Amino acid sequence: MFKRIVFFLMLFLFAGILCFGQASALRDYVGLIKINYHSDVIELMNKFKSNLEKRGYSKDAKAIENYLQGISGSGFVYVAADGSCYILTNEHVVSQADSLSVTFERTDGAKTTYDGLKIFYVDEDKDLAILYFENGIKPFTQGLSFNITPPEEGSTVFAAGFPGMGNTAAWQYSQGIISNANIRLQKYADSDELFGPFIQHTAQVDPGNSGGPLLVAKQGVPTNHAVIGINTLSARWRQAANYAIPVDQINVFIASALSSEPVDERQLLAKRVDEFIKGLGANKYVYDHIAEYLSNGCTATNAEYAIYELLEKAPRAVIQDIDRIFSTNPVDGMNAAVAWYIENSMRPRTGDIKISLDSIDTNDLGNFVVSFNVNGSIVKSEWVKEYGVYRLNTYGDIATGEKSRMESRLRTIEQNQALKTNYILFLTAGYSNVFDYGSALNLSLNLGIRPFTYGLELHSVLGDTKYSNIATDVGIMIPIRLKIIAITPFGGIGTGAIFTRETVDSLGFTINLSLRGGLMFTTSAVPGLFLRAYYTHNFTVKIISNLPNHGILGFSAGFGL
């Protein structure tokens, strides 16, 4: 009996040693996936980075720089029956990618990288994606094997992948057990809707492991490991509760992705559009729903303008929510901004969005044009097939997909921002003519609370005749913006003190009431700089001097903040 116990104990230890010894072979099949973003996304992110650096936010700028490096997650090799090579991973790992690379790293540090991978097919509901190699190359003769036997609770499992360490990612191979072989999870915190099934296990999984395989030991297959799932998420508030998509779901996904059976594209689109419309009927903001349907091109082309619109027009709660998304994943934040921009165009001033399908046609490019009846108006949209899934590429005149039009809108925004017409504080200096007294210098300091102004002004006559007028006034400004220039009529009423000295012995002093009117001229070429012309009429109250009522014609230049 004792010998039998020793024999089984040695057999168990040998199996464990063999399994871990074969772990290094997994490195040839489990790789680090990096994203290459759409060129428009990169251009926009670099703009944000540059602006942050100029404002001294070096930490945030560095975060964007690191993000653009595209460290994303893990994936593993799958070889189809015809010898075609693919990489399997999670959909959320590769979303928003224009192209991808996968790197395999051996124990001695040697790396093999394959660039130019493209997304072949995705299933957003299952969170699965399959990638194909550039030009259909076949660098592998075999991939990881699948274990079709349902896993048992308590059995040993292994997780492999490339979790992040700072701004890099490193190989990790971990061991645990299956703690629940078939579990469904609550989809939303405020909903009873469930999604899954998943395999719950305790093998260590960290950010970056997503898309990597969950394995069991199996003799006679490559690496002596077989795939039973794809690691996809972890429980935030629980310890050692990680979840993998089971292999039977993966097999269904692969069969669908590689199927050669003909598909009724119009029917496929109609189903997708129906789901899109249903989600818009919720009695809440729906930009998170719209974001799930946007093509990469739609986000890339419209994001910059959408962000300007968001910051200008969205409620604070929406801005804060999308800012939170952006801080976690900048590309997802851009996607959410475009989705809000589209939702804002759909939503009436009061009530919910009323939308229905009007028609489905095709355009000259062969893409589908879906016409919606939105609150009684027909809006056309283009839908394109992206990775096997139909996505919204353009929407009416809002998200047009025309880069030149977006650039024109952005130039208009930049001009509007540069064309300052509302100032918190502004200073002026210039020349004026005090009738009956002569040429004078004028200086003023003004505070603005739109549309009102509060100012302190000095006019001092040059030459032998001494005249000084110190006045305060309250005024109003009404800007008229004309693209790159603005004309601002202004007026005001004030009071002040006038000091005169025509001879050494003749000192004059009087209090005056004044009425003023004039025009300011501003251009976006030099933000904050303006010219103004005005006329002031002073009504004097005789105290020491018999100074008559008189006018002042002035010209000045100013700068405002």
Side-chain angles (χ1 to χ4, degrees):
M1 182 68 180
F2 175 75
K3 290 182 178 180
R4 184 176 297 178
I5 293 173
V6 171
F7 172 76
F8 281 111
L9 181 60
M10 291 179 66
L11 186 64
F12 175 78
L13 290 173
F14 175 76
I17 292 169
L18 180 64
C19 192
F20 275 94
Q22 290 291 327
S24 61
L26 280 171
R27 291 171 173 258
D28 293 332
Y29 299 94
V30 181
L32 169 66
I33 294 175
K34 287 190 175 185
I35 281 181
N36 300 311
Y37 295 107
H38 193 288
S39 59
D40 288 340
V41 170
I42 294 173
E43 181 182 351
L44 178 55
M45 297 296 282
N46 280 324
K47 279 186 181 180
F48 287 154
K49 176 176 171 288
S50 177
N51 288 335
L52 288 168
E53 287 173 339
K54 289 177 182 177
R55 297 180 183 182
Y57 296 103
S58 56
K59 184 177 179 181
D60 293 331
K62 185 65 176 176
I64 289 179
E65 180 181 328
N66 293 335
Y67 189 84
L68 286 175
Q69 292 177 3
I71 294 174
S72 185
S74 306
F76 60 93
V77 176
Y78 172 79
V79 177
D82 64 357
S84 298
C85 296
Y86 302 95
I87 298 293
L88 287 169
T89 186
N90 285 135
E91 186 274 337
H92 77 260
V93 168
V94 299
S95 63
Q96 304 297 337
D98 188 53
S99 66
L100 305 108
S101 68
V102 61
T103 298
F104 301 91
E105 182 178 0
R106 301 188 65 84
T107 53
D108 61 1
K111 296 180 180 180
T112 302
T113 298
Y114 299 94
D115 295 315
L117 275 76
K118 295 286 187 178
I119 300 172
F120 183 71
Y121 190 80
V122 300
D123 187 320
E124 293 173 319
D125 293 331
K126 288 186 174 68
D127 193 17
L128 290 171
I130 186 168
L131 318 179
Y132 67 95
F133 287 82
E134 187 176 31
N135 299 322
I137 64 170
K138 300 177 180 180
F140 299 91
T141 57
Q142 61 184 9
L144 291 181
S145 296
F146 288 3
N147 188 67
I148 59 174
T149 304
E152 295 183 0
E153 292 173 359
S155 58
T156 301
V157 291
F158 307 90
F162 286 84
M165 294 184 64
N167 298 326
T168 61
W171 169 261
Q172 178 173 282
Y173 175 79
S174 59
Q175 178 179 339
I177 63 165
I178 294 177
S179 51
N180 191 328
N182 191 327
I183 185 172
R184 293 181 180 272
L185 303 175
Q186 190 175 1
K187 193 167 187 178
Y188 303 108
D190 57 351
S191 169
D192 294 331
E193 184 180 356
L194 301 177
F195 74 118
F198 295 99
I199 300 169
Q200 180 178 298
H201 65 91
T202 64
Q204 184 172 344
V205 169
D206 299 301
N209 269 114
S210 290
L214 182 68
L215 306 140
V216 292
K218 187 174 183 178
Q219 299 299 312
V221 298
T223 75
N224 286 335
H225 290 79
V227 176
I228 63 167
I230 292 180
N231 289 309
T232 188
L233 56 91
S234 297
R236 182 177 297 179
W237 306 116
R238 293 181 59 187
Q239 187 175 3
N242 306 307
Y243 301 93
I245 302 165
V247 73
D248 59 336
Q249 298 290 313
I250 300 170
N251 279 326
V252 170
F253 166 74
I254 292 172
S256 178
L258 304 183
S259 173
S260 59
E261 294 183 7
V263 176
D264 186 332
E265 298 292 346
R266 186 178 291 267
Q267 184 178 358
L268 194 65
L269 172 64
K271 181 181 178 182
R272 180 80 166 162
V273 169
D274 183 59
E275 293 169 351
F276 177 71
I277 291 173
K278 285 180 180 177
L280 297 176
N283 187 24
K284 63 181 184 67
Y285 287 113
V286 292
Y287 54 84
D288 56 341
H289 168 73
I290 295 173
E292 296 175 2
Y293 289 80
L294 300 183
S295 71
N296 289 345
C298 183
T299 296
T301 306
N302 297 286
E304 187 171 5
Y305 184 78
I307 289 170
Y308 279 115
E309 288 286 289
L310 172 79
L311 297 176
E312 183 72 21
K313 299 177 181 178
R316 177 173 294 183
V318 172
I319 294 174
Q320 290 174 340
D321 182 52
I322 294 179
D323 179 62
R324 176 188 57 78
I325 297 170
F326 191 93
S327 64
T328 303
N329 185 314
V331 177
D332 285 348
M334 292 163 59
N335 201 37
V338 175
W340 175 86
Y341 173 49
I342 292 173
E343 177 184 352
N344 191 52
S345 73
M346 292 179 171
R347 190 168 293 282
R349 291 184 178 274
T350 58
D352 298 331
I353 298 170
K354 293 181 175 60
I355 182 170
S356 60
L357 175 63
D358 181 73
S359 63
I360 298 178
D361 301 298
T362 55
N363 60 17
D364 294 338
L365 299 175
N367 296 325
F368 283 106
V369 176
V370 179
S371 296
F372 295 105
N373 187 320
V374 183
N375 306 314
S377 299
I378 300 299
V379 180
K380 291 186 176 182
S381 63
E382 181 187 60
W383 291 67
V384 296
K385 199 171 187 181
E386 195 173 71
Y387 323 136
V389 178
Y390 278 102
R391 298 180 188 271
L392 182 67
N393 197 48
T394 69
Y395 179 80
D397 292 330
I398 302 301
T400 64
E402 297 177 21
K403 190 172 181 180
S404 59
R405 182 180 291 193
M406 287 295 107
E407 288 174 346
S408 176
R409 289 180 178 179
L410 287 169
R411 283 194 298 271
T412 300
I413 287 177
E414 290 169 355
Q415 288 172 355
N416 285 337
Q417 290 180 334
L419 187 61
K420 291 184 175 293
T421 55
N422 298 304
Y423 304 104
I424 298 173
L425 175 69
F426 60 96
L427 302 168
T428 70
Y431 164 86
S432 59
N433 180 57
V434 181
F435 294 110
D436 298 330
Y437 280 85
S439 300
L441 290 175
N442 65 69
L443 300 170
S444 73
L445 172 65
N446 301 269
L447 299 175
I449 302 177
R450 190 170 60 176
F452 301 105
T453 61
Y454 307 87
L456 176 66
E457 188 155 17
L458 168 67
H459 289 86
S460 183
V461 173
L462 306 172
D464 296 333
T465 302
K466 303 301 182 184
Y467 172 100
S468 296
N469 180 4
I470 300 175
T472 62
D473 64 20
V474 177
I476 187 169
M477 299 169 60
I478 305 174
I480 301 172
R481 302 172 70 93
L482 304 170
K483 293 187 177 180
I484 62 173
I485 65 170
I487 300 172
T488 304
F490 64 90
I493 184 170
T495 184
I498 299 175
F499 301 89
T500 62
R501 183 190 293 273
E502 296 185 7
T503 66
V504 175
D505 298 323
S506 61
L507 175 65
F509 169 74
T510 188
I511 293 174
N512 71 288
L513 298 175
S514 62
L515 292 176
R516 172 182 298 173
L519 293 174
M520 289 175 59
F521 301 89
T522 314
T523 175
S524 60
V526 186
L529 184 67
F530 60 85
L531 301 174
R532 68 173 188 166
Y534 62 90
Y535 176 78
T536 300
H537 197 83
N538 288 324
F539 299 91
T540 59
V541 179
K542 280 69 176 178
I543 298 179
I544 299 176
S545 171
N546 289 322
L547 185 69
N549 299 340
H550 58 280
I552 301 175
L553 180 64
F555 302 92
S556 59
F559 186 82
L561 302 173

